[in-house]
Amino acid sequence: MAVISPGAVDTELPASVKAEGVADAVAGLYQEYAIPADGFARCVEFAMSQPQEVDVNEILFRPTRQQR
């Protein structure tokens, strides 16, 4: 089993945040940093496609420009 921790990925997440003030901050973060979802899909595919003798434990996946 692999744990993949994504950073800002271009998804519908910002639209689902309803908390006042937080929604604008999340939308701004994603607008500035979010990478295409297919990049994250390739990361998942990589982890899942390894041979049985290879164990991918954890992947921290985020845009190179994202510092937080």
Side-chain angles (χ1 to χ4, degrees):
M1 177 167 86
V3 175
I4 302 176
S5 303
V9 176
D10 188 15
T11 65
E12 70 283 349
L13 178 68
S16 70
V17 177
K18 303 299 181 199
E20 192 172 316
V22 176
D24 290 340
V26 170
L29 175 78
Y30 276 63
Q31 184 175 3
E32 185 172 350
Y33 295 112
I35 59 173
D38 69 327
F40 183 66
R42 288 192 309 271
C43 178
V44 172
E45 179 183 33
F46 167 80
M48 294 177 65
S49 67
Q50 298 308 301
Q52 190 169 1
E53 65 272 9
V54 175
D55 187 17
V56 177
N57 292 317
E58 289 186 55
I59 296 176
L60 176 57
F61 179 84
R62 66 179 185 205
T64 54
R65 294 180 38 215
Q66 183 181 342
Q67 295 180 8
R68 46 186 165 125

